[in-house]
């Protein structure tokens, strides 16, 4: 997320020659930064609830007390259009074409969110799926048409796609789609390889993941598998890491992820034509990105959350 705002801030957008994006963008449907007036009002209310009459008093409050006050208000950190770092919402900066004109490598994982979050722990049935979507979005029928489940067996895959997009997938797509239209080289990936099961003393989730969970790509892309003894890494994991790390290294050096010995990765067209997406897995390959229309339709729906 931080990279996406660095690409839009007038203080930073001319200060680098390329960008790698993981873990979503500060863009709809995940984020719309607060106006300064709203953030100031929220901050004042938090200070009052914490018993602070001034900034000096607020700064002197122990961390435990601040966290307790945060919990009672359900207060969270937000991006703010403060007039300095962000002078407008990043979506407006992108729409106006004022972003960093640099190559971008960006993508998401195949299970950024779990189907269990949509179903709130209920069994994966069509009825429970429909009930979960009704609690998520003000137009559940439209959303179900985009993430359909005709049978109970379809529910985990459909609900995982929806949970992933509601969390980070759709904002990552928005970032990718807006940037490719700037006519800068834009490379889109989909990390699809699940990590091995965790080794003791760690425990594995009751519901095994059906894809690559949020943040799982980091150790592969940075070549850090052997620094994490929590998993029984396999030869496949190491091969994937070699390829993904190679893409990152080549992109950092040249603005292009392609290098000798790596599967070819084509940039997305700026408009029209087939959009390629690199599937990073045991058999890393380029496939046509067929979900473009779904994202166009789903992104505004995912902003209409049930209060």
């Amino acid at each position: 997320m931080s990279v996406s705002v660095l690409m839009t801030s007038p203080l930073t957008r001319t200060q680098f020659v390329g960008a790698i994006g993981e873990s979503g963008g500060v863009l709809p449907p995940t984020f719309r930064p607060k106006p300064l007036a709203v953030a100031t009002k929220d901050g004042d209310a938090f200070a009052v609830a914490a018993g602070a009459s001034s900034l000096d008093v607020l700064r002197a409050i122990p961390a435990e007390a601040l966290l307790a006050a945060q919990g009672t208000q359900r207060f969270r950190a937000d991006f703010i259009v403060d007039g300095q770092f962000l002078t407008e919402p990043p979506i407006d900066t992108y729409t106006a074409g004022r972003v960093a004109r640099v190559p971008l490598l960006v993508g998401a994982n195949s299970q950024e969110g779990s189907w269990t979050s949509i179903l709130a722990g209920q069994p994966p049935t069509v009825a429970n799926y429909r009930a979960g979507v009704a609690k998520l979005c003000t137009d559940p029928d439209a959303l179900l048409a985009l993430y359909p489940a005709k049978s109970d067996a379809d529910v985990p895959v459909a609900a995982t796609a929806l949970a992933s997009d509601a969390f980070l997938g759709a904002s990552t797509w928005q970032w990718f789609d807006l940037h490719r239209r700037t006519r800068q080289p834009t490379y889109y990936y989909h990390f699809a390889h699940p990590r091995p099961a965790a080794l003791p003393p760690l425990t594995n989730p009751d519901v095994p993941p059906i894809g690559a969970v949020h943040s799982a790509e980091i150790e592969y892309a940075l070549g850090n598998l052997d620094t994490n003894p929590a998993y029984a890494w396999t030869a496949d994991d190491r091969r994937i890491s070699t390829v993904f790390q190679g893409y990152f290294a080549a992109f950092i050096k040249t603005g292009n992820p392609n290098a000798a010995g790596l599967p070819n990765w084509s940039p997305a067209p700026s408009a029209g034509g087939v959009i390629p997406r690199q599937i990073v897995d045991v058999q890393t390959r380029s496939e046509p990105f067929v979900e473009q229309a779904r994202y166009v339709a789903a992104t505004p729906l995912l902003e209409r959350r049930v209060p």
Side-chain angles (χ1 to χ4, degrees), residues 1 24-33 76 91 136-137 143 147 162-175 178 294-305:
M1 285 179 278
V26 183
L27 294 161
T30 307
F31 284 106
R32 281 191 183 268
R76 70 171 195 175
I91 186 68
L136 174 70
C137 167
L143 209 53
Y147 300 86
L162 175 55
S164 298
D165 289 348
F167 177 39
L168 291 177
S171 70
T172 301
W173 165 80
Q174 181 94 273
W175 185 6
L178 289 167
R294 186 185 79 189
Y295 278 109
V296 170
T299 296
L301 292 173
L302 289 169
E303 277 207 279
R304 301 173 198 159
R305 299 295 180 93

Side-chain angles (χ1 to χ4, degrees), residues 44-128:
D44 289 343
F46 175 77
V48 170
S53 57
S54 69
L55 279 176
D56 288 339
V57 174
L58 189 64
R59 289 169 180 150
I61 294 176
E64 293 81 2
L66 286 174
L67 289 172
Q70 179 187 29
T72 60
Q73 294 189 68
R74 301 181 67 182
F75 186 86
R76 70 171 195 175
D78 279 296
F79 292 93
I80 301 166
V81 180
D82 64 341
Q84 297 182 58
F85 181 72
L86 286 181
T87 56
E88 60 187 352
I91 186 68
D92 295 345
T93 309
Y94 256 110
T95 301
R98 289 189 284 268
V99 298
R101 297 302 181 100
V102 298
L104 173 66
L105 186 157
V106 65
N109 294 357
S110 57
Q111 186 177 311
E112 294 286 1
S114 173
W115 63 265
T116 58
S117 66
I118 300 293
L119 277 74
Q122 296 301 307
T125 67
V126 172
N128 287 336

Side-chain angles (χ1 to χ4, degrees), residues 8 15-16 55 75 80 124 128 145 158 161 175 181 184 187 279 283 287:
T8 60
Q15 302 303 309
F16 48 90
L55 279 176
F75 186 86
I80 301 166
N128 287 336
W175 185 6
R181 297 176 191 278
Q184 294 300 308
Y187 299 88
I279 309 300
Q283 297 295 328
E287 291 185 355

